Amino acid sequence: MGFVGLMELFSNSSGYAGNPVEEQDMIARALIKKGKKVIKINRGDPAVYFKTPKYIVDAYVKALRNNRSYYEYFYGAQELREAVAARYRRMYSLSLNVEEDIIVTNGVSEALIFLNNVLMNRGDRAVMFKPFYTLYINLLEISGGKAVYGNYNEKDNWLIDLDHLRRTLRGMKRLKYMLITNPNNPTGTVLGRKTIKEVVDIANENDLILVSDEIYDEILFNNAKFTSLAQLAKGTKHAILNGASKNLDSPGFRMGYIIIPGDDKVSSGLKELVVKYAQMRLSVNTPAQYAVAEGMNNIKEHRKAMSYMVGEMADRANFTYKLINESKYMEAVKPNGAFYVFPKLNIRDMKIKDDTEFTRRLLLEANVQVTRGSGFGSKNHIRIVTLPDKNIIQEAMDRIEGFCRKNKREA
Ligand code: PLP
C-alpha cells in the first residue's frame, strides 16, 4: 500500500497521466475568451445535455429540508443500500446482503481509489484492457501498481481478445485484480454473456479478483443485451462498480457504490478493508444519498426519464456513427451503449503525425475539442462524446471533415 507521489506519477513510463488533457482545456478556455465558438465533444457528462430528472432534484431538496446534512453512516445510508439491493434484485435477480455487500462511495472514482489502496503494494500488477478509461491507470499507478494489458480487439467489434489475454497472463506474478468496463468507455461496446463467462474462467485460472465497472448499465441501445458480471461470477472473487453519474444523470452528486457479494476469505477481507477506508473518510454526501435512493426506488419516474434520455442518446450516437463512417478519414465500430464513439483515424491519408497532433490542431484550427486516443491507450484514435444535439454533432463533424480535407496528403 504505497503512495508513490505526484512527481513519480507524472514522470512514469506509461505517459498516460493528465497533461495533454489539461493543455487542451487551457487552449479551449483561451479560444473561448477570444470569442471563438468552440464545440466541446470531449466530456462524458450527461447533466450538461440532459437535466437531472426533477423527481431526483426534488428528493435532494426534500432531504435538505429534512435536515439531512449530518454525517451519514460511513457504509452508506440504509435506505440507499436497500435501494441498491432492490435494483439488483429487480434487474439481475441477485440477492445481496444489504448489511455487508454494498458500500456507498463518492462516485465510482472513490471506489477505485479504495480498491487500489487496499489491493496494491508497490510493484503489484492489475490487468487492464486497452483502450481503457484513463483514470484506471492513474489511480493504479498512484498506488504503486503497474498495469498488464489485455486488448479489446477493434477488428472483433472491440470484444476481448481472449487468446491474447490467456497468453499474456501465463506465468505472470503478483497479479491482484482484473478490471473490465461494460458498457465501455471509450468504445461504447457491450460485452456479451459468452465473453464475460470466459473472462470469469480466466480470472479463476489466475486466481484474480475480477472487477466490473458497470456505470453505464442502463444506457443500452441497438438491441444490446447486457449481463452483469454478478450474474455469472458466483463462486468467483469479484466486485461490481456502479453509481448515479450516468444512469441517474447526476455526476455532480458524486455518488457511487461498490458491491462485493462473495463471502469467501478474499472477498470478506476485501470488504473489511474497503469499509475501513470508508470509515476514515467519515461519510458520503448525505442529501445526495437520499436523492439517489429515490432515483432508484421510484421506478415509474425512473423509467419515464430513462426512456426519453436513452432514446435521445441512441439517436445521437447512431447519427454520429453514421457521419463518421461517411468520412474518408476515419472509421468506427458501432457503439451499443454509453455515449461515445471511438473512431480510428486514417492518419496515413493526412499530413498529420498522430492523434496528439490531430486533436491539438483540430482544436486550434477548427475549434472542436475531442479526446486523443493515446490517453486511452489506443494511438491514432479519437473519442467523440455523442451527447450533444444532432445539429451540434453535425457542425462538429463538418468542421472535422473540413480539417481533415485541408490536411489531406496528396496522392
Ligand atoms: N468509470 C467509467 C467507465 C467512466 O466513464 C467514468 C466517468 O466518465 C467513471 C467511472 C467515473 O465515475 P464517477 O462519476 O462515479 O466517479
Side-chain angles (χ1 to χ4, degrees):
M1 266 168 260
F3 180 81
V4 176
L6 276 178
M7 289 315 288
E8 198 173 324
L9 179 70
F10 280 97
S11 63
N12 67 13
S13 55
S14 74
Y16 296 127
N19 292 340
V21 174
E22 280 163 30
E23 188 200 46
Q24 289 271 99
D25 283 340
M26 266 167 52
I27 296 172
R29 270 198 302 275
L31 287 168
I32 291 165
K33 223 169 149 189
K34 277 211 288 197
K36 300 280 186 201
K37 192 179 153 227
V38 176
I39 303 182
K40 293 169 80 72
I41 42 176
N42 60 310
R43 283 192 71 177
D45 186 341
V48 171
Y49 304 94
F50 299 92
K51 275 193 184 149
T52 302
K54 183 173 177 306
Y55 80 102
I56 298 178
V57 175
D58 288 346
Y60 200 123
V61 172
K62 185 174 158 209
L64 283 173
R65 293 213 188 286
N66 287 341
N67 298 320
R68 294 204 190 273
S69 22
Y70 45 81
Y71 289 129
E72 227 341 317
Y73 178 35
F74 55 83
Y75 229 112
Q78 180 78 17
E79 209 168 305
L80 176 55
R81 284 178 294 121
E82 279 172 10
V84 171
R87 177 184 193 270
Y88 277 79
R89 201 175 312 119
R90 194 167 59 238
M91 288 177 62
Y92 304 123
S93 309
L94 285 173
S95 167
L96 297 171
N97 178 347
V98 177
E99 304 310 322
E100 291 184 6
D101 297 348
I102 304 154
I103 303 148
V104 177
T105 56
N106 287 289
V108 164
S109 306
E110 191 185 50
L112 286 165
I113 294 172
F114 289 172
L115 269 181
N116 282 306
N117 281 342
V118 167
L119 294 175
M120 304 315 284
N121 288 304
R122 184 183 285 261
D124 284 345
R125 298 184 172 110
V127 185
M128 301 286 168
F129 291 87
K130 284 184 184 180
F132 44 74
Y133 170 57
T134 316
L135 272 187
Y136 294 159
I137 310 301
N138 294 344
L139 293 175
L140 172 67
E141 291 184 349
I142 207 168
S143 300
K146 276 193 172 357
V148 172
Y149 291 105
N151 287 323
Y152 295 116
N153 182 3
E154 188 168 19
K155 294 200 178 81
D156 187 19
N157 291 315
W158 289 120
L159 296 179
I160 291 176
D161 185 339
L162 296 161
D163 291 339
H164 169 263
L165 180 62
R166 280 206 162 87
R167 279 199 310 275
T168 305
L169 301 190
R170 197 166 297 142
M172 182 79 71
K173 300 263 182 335
R174 300 189 64 177
L175 287 173
K176 290 298 174 67
Y177 73 94
M178 174 152 71
L179 175 54
I180 58 172
T181 317
N182 189 26
N184 190 278
N185 172 9
T187 63
T189 304
V190 179
L191 297 175
R193 221 182 147 79
K194 200 165 142 248
T195 305
I196 300 169
K197 266 194 173 152
E198 292 264 12
V199 174
V200 167
D201 287 346
I202 294 173
N204 285 332
E205 285 159 23
N206 290 279
D207 199 23
L208 287 170
I209 298 173
L210 184 53
V211 183
S212 183
D213 181 347
E214 301 181 354
I215 194 168
Y216 299 95
D217 68 345
E218 289 186 61
I219 304 178
L220 304 166
F221 39 88
N222 298 337
N223 297 319
K225 288 211 178 5
F226 177 82
T227 306
S228 170
L229 170 68
Q231 291 171 283
L232 300 179
K234 257 204 153 92
T236 301
K237 299 168 290 189
H238 69 286
I240 307 292
L241 309 177
N242 209 328
S245 293
K246 317 292 176 178
N247 292 329
L248 294 177
D249 187 21
S250 52
F253 287 12
R254 307 309 305 127
M255 288 292 312
Y257 49 90
I258 175 166
I259 302 176
I260 309 169
D263 50 16
D264 57 279
K265 218 167 120 198
V266 173
S267 302
S268 302
L270 175 62
K271 237 180 300 210
E272 204 176 298
L273 286 170
V274 168
V275 170
K276 280 217 162 93
Y277 273 91
Q279 197 164 10
M280 285 190 282
R281 60 83 171 107
L282 308 185
S283 172
V284 170
N285 180 326
T286 304
Q289 294 193 56
Y290 288 89
V292 168
E294 172 66 8
M296 291 177 188
N297 285 337
N298 192 335
I299 297 166
K300 197 169 144 225
E301 285 297 329
H302 180 56
R303 288 211 174 121
K304 208 160 80 187
M306 288 310 274
S307 118
Y308 167 71
M309 196 172 81
V310 179
E312 277 295 315
M313 285 173 173
D315 194 30
R316 296 174 193 194
N318 286 333
F319 181 67
T320 316
Y321 166 75
K322 178 176 134 312
L323 295 183
I324 287 170
N325 279 358
E326 278 168 11
S327 166
K328 276 201 325 227
Y329 302 99
M330 58 186 87
E331 54 201 301
V333 174
K334 194 172 191 177
N336 297 320
F339 27 71
Y340 312 98
V341 189
F342 197 57
K344 185 182 175 70
L345 301 169
N346 296 332
I347 207 82
R348 287 212 192 96
D349 295 344
M350 292 179 263
K351 288 180 280 183
I352 293 175
K353 189 168 79 167
D354 57 18
D355 57 322
T356 303
E357 182 184 337
F358 183 95
T359 48
R360 195 168 185 280
R361 285 187 46 208
L362 178 71
L363 177 56
L364 283 166
E365 295 167 30
N367 302 154
V368 179
Q369 187 174 4
V370 297
T371 314
R372 67 186 188 122
S374 301
F376 302 94
S378 288
K379 207 173 169 204
N380 293 342
H381 288 72
I382 55 171
R383 189 191 72 173
I384 295 178
V385 169
T386 60
L387 288 168
D389 266 6
K390 285 201 284 191
N391 57 351
I392 297 178
I393 300 262
Q394 178 76 61
E395 181 170 351
M397 291 308 300
D398 286 348
R399 289 192 201 180
I400 294 174
E401 189 66 14
F403 172 79
C404 293
R405 216 178 298 122
K406 211 176 81 192
N407 289 289
K408 170 171 97 171
R409 197 180 286 285
E410 302 304 331

